Amino acid sequence: MNIAWFNPLVPMRKTIVCLVLIQMLTSLPLFFPVYSLINELGVEVNGEKIAFMDAQPYIDEQTGSTMVPAREIAEKLGAEVAWNRSSMQVTFRSQHATSILTIGQKNASVDGKQVELDSPAVLKKDRTMVPLRAVSESLGADVDWVGERNLVLITSADKAQRSTWIWDSKLIETDGDRILQFAASQKLTAIYLRFEKYPSQDVYRNFIRRASGQGIKVEALAGERDWIYEENHIYIQQWMAAVTQYNTSVDALERFQGFHFDIEPYTLDKWKVNQTWVLERWMDTIRFIESRVKSSDRNMTMAFDIPFWINSVTVPGSSYSFSAWLLEKADSVVIMAYRNKALGSNGIIARAKSIILEAATLKKRAVIAVDTLPSTEADYTTFYKSNASLMESELKQVKESLSPYPSYIGIAVHDYVRWIDLLNANR
């Protein structure tokens, strides 16, 4: 299904990251389980194992915090590091925030706001050691603990997107508070929200403004499989015009940041009897959408939901993959790699890899999507009969395997309503 692409305003993001970090550091544990120091502790950033040269990570025995050399971690996450010996302070500067830790003090300054730490920065053999989770998350990164491997898995901010679809837009009026609470708890960075005539414009304004305040990008979602018929292009035009009119009438933080299309013409009966005809109409529709985006609002991104298998289909009359053709037109795609296992020849990673590689070659971005809805195809295509913790475990493996690729930018879960059901089923 669908997702969107990230172009947050930098000043707003710095404030948002600060507030989110404060919430994380005060409400979530900042430590990993204490293991014997004789066990090797591994740290990976975007799937790459870090080889610490002069000082090794260790577990602080009093707090249980994982302590790491400051410079190696920060520079791997794209931050500048400065050490002030006179003040005994280490400073991290990135596009997300500026964080200052003082040796021996259990608080940090993040963009001028004081944040309490579980463990202070320390000097160990003349190396500055800092609490890994606090520093990583202050730089916008996502941190996971893989206990069975004694591994800390860090995913940088540009690859840590999490998103979901909301198809029933009335939910933002009846359930808006719960949606945003859910978004905060799941660290969502994007929501694909269906834009319709109802609810009212004020409801959309209020919801998107609050989502923006949490650092969440909202994309306008729509799509019908019969949109490929030329006589139905008028509906695409009318919908895009309505989104554009809405955006021009509201404040910057209340606007949709992208068009998100979920058009699945391969579900038409016509696909079975004349695939070439359907592909040609699909291409005409994408060209029509592209022209409307360019003529309406060039600031809006354009994203498509695409099935993982579409790379095995070629553009009519050529050997060029249809997924590559779609990637050329889009700013980003959501790869519907609907499987409930990360590994194996029929797993999420294997199914998504071909398009991830194409996207890397074309310098485009891709999100990996999984499903939580019941499936008429097979149980292995969805987490519907699984549980939320198992799904997160599988997604950790997806992140570790695919984050080294420049095209990979994160995970999407389809959809919000069923995801909530999955979480509730585990309680």
Side-chain angles (χ1 to χ4, degrees):
M1 314 318 300
N2 317 47
I3 147 171
W5 317 134
F6 231 157
N7 276 319
L9 300 175
V10 171
M12 176 186 74
R13 281 294 294 172
K14 289 180 70 177
T15 301
I16 292 164
V17 169
C18 247
L19 296 175
V20 172
L21 173 65
I22 290 169
Q23 180 183 19
M24 286 177 176
L25 296 180
T26 55
S27 63
L28 295 178
L30 299 180
F31 55 90
F32 302 107
V34 179
Y35 286 83
S36 168
L37 295 181
I38 63 172
N39 291 334
E40 180 183 356
L41 178 66
V43 179
E44 289 185 1
V45 176
N46 294 337
E48 179 185 351
K49 186 77 172 285
I50 298 182
F52 296 96
M53 304 304 294
D54 301 326
Q56 296 300 311
Y58 66 93
I59 303 292
D60 182 278
E61 293 180 326
Q62 290 186 328
T63 65
S65 296
T66 300
M67 306 296 290
V68 294
R71 189 170 298 277
E72 280 94 332
I73 291 295
E75 291 182 346
K76 279 289 185 182
L77 293 173
E80 296 179 355
V81 185
W83 166 247
N84 187 321
R85 183 170 291 278
S86 61
S87 64
M88 301 293 282
Q89 289 181 331
V90 59
T91 301
F92 306 98
R93 292 186 177 89
S94 75
Q95 63 176 339
H96 301 284
T98 296
S99 305
I100 303 174
L101 281 69
T102 303
I103 299 298
Q105 292 188 9
K106 291 188 66 172
N107 61 356
S109 171
V110 183
D111 283 344
K113 297 183 181 295
Q114 293 299 303
V115 177
E116 185 176 354
L117 306 176
D118 238 36
S119 183
V122 299
L123 283 178
K124 189 176 178 68
K125 296 182 180 179
D126 206 34
R127 291 297 305 274
T128 305
M129 307 295 289
V130 294
L132 180 145
R133 182 180 286 274
V135 171
S136 297
E137 290 181 344
S138 73
L139 299 176
D142 189 25
V143 182
D144 293 301
W145 170 247
V146 185
E148 63 273 17
R149 294 163 56 196
N150 270 12
L151 175 68
V152 182
L153 182 63
I154 304 173
T155 308
S156 60
D158 59 324
K159 298 175 179 294
Q161 295 190 31
R162 279 171 69 89
S163 49
T164 194
W165 291 258
I166 297 180
W167 288 100
D168 183 0
S169 54
K170 294 183 179 64
L171 288 174
I172 67 171
E173 181 173 27
T174 63
D175 212 18
D177 289 344
R178 186 184 180 204
I179 292 172
L180 293 174
Q181 289 168 3
F182 170 84
S185 68
Q186 295 299 320
K187 302 180 186 179
L188 296 190
T189 60
I191 292 175
Y192 314 133
L193 174 62
R194 189 170 186 174
F195 182 72
E196 302 177 280
K197 185 175 181 179
Y198 301 102
S200 70
Q201 177 171 297
D202 285 344
V203 172
Y204 282 105
R205 290 180 61 190
N206 178 60
F207 180 81
I208 296 175
R209 181 176 63 252
R210 294 172 64 195
S212 297
Q214 292 183 198
I216 299 170
K217 175 183 177 180
V218 182
E219 295 181 352
L221 169 65
E224 299 291 344
R225 62 183 183 175
D226 63 2
W227 274 6
I228 66 164
Y229 297 116
E230 186 175 2
E231 61 268 26
N232 290 336
H233 287 185
I234 184 63
Y235 301 120
I236 302 174
Q237 181 176 337
Q238 290 172 348
W239 179 78
M240 295 182 69
V243 173
T244 302
Q245 190 280 327
Y246 165 85
N247 271 3
T248 58
S249 65
V250 301
D251 294 337
L253 296 182
E254 299 168 343
R255 294 173 188 160
F256 290 102
Q257 294 186 43
F259 293 107
H260 196 104
F261 293 94
D262 182 17
I263 304 170
E264 303 182 22
Y266 45 85
T267 62
L268 293 166
D269 291 339
K270 191 79 170 177
W271 178 265
K272 299 175 183 177
V273 296
N274 197 339
Q275 182 174 299
T276 297
W277 185 92
V278 173
L279 288 170
E280 289 172 344
R281 302 291 83 70
W282 194 354
M283 294 171 72
D284 289 342
T285 301
I286 297 301
R287 293 188 188 103
F288 177 78
I289 290 171
E290 182 183 30
S291 68
R292 299 308 302 174
V293 171
K294 291 179 178 178
S295 64
S296 59
D297 187 349
R298 290 180 177 270
N299 292 320
M300 291 282 277
T301 57
M302 182 168 62
F304 302 133
D305 296 334
I306 61 174
F308 69 82
W309 51 263
I310 201 67
N311 74 297
S312 64
V313 176
T314 58
V315 172
S318 79
S319 60
Y320 196 55
S321 80
F322 199 76
S323 54
W325 188 90
L326 289 168
L327 280 163
E328 289 182 346
K329 300 297 182 183
D331 294 293
S332 59
V333 298
V334 180
I335 305 170
M336 296 183 286
Y338 287 176
R339 294 293 184 266
N340 61 11
K341 296 290 184 183
L343 303 177
S345 60
N346 194 33
I348 299 166
I349 296 166
R351 291 303 186 181
K353 181 71 78 65
S354 295
I355 299 179
I356 286 290
L357 292 171
E358 286 180 337
T361 299
L362 295 168
K363 294 181 170 54
K364 294 301 179 88
R365 297 173 294 178
V367 171
I368 306 299
V370 295
D371 200 13
T372 59
L373 273 68
S375 172
T376 57
E377 181 183 348
D379 287 345
Y380 61 77
T381 66
T382 176
F383 285 96
Y384 174 68
K385 292 185 178 180
S386 184
N387 61 71
S389 60
L390 178 59
M391 181 176 75
E392 291 297 338
S393 178
E394 298 298 322
L395 292 179
K396 283 182 189 179
Q397 296 181 71
V398 173
K399 286 192 290 183
E400 182 179 4
S401 178
L402 296 182
S403 58
Y405 295 94
S407 53
Y408 171 86
I409 60 171
I411 295 291
V413 178
H414 184 265
D415 62 4
Y416 163 72
V417 172
R418 290 294 186 177
W419 192 357
I420 284 282
D421 290 343
L422 194 67
L423 287 165
N424 289 339
N426 298 151
R427 293 174 182 169

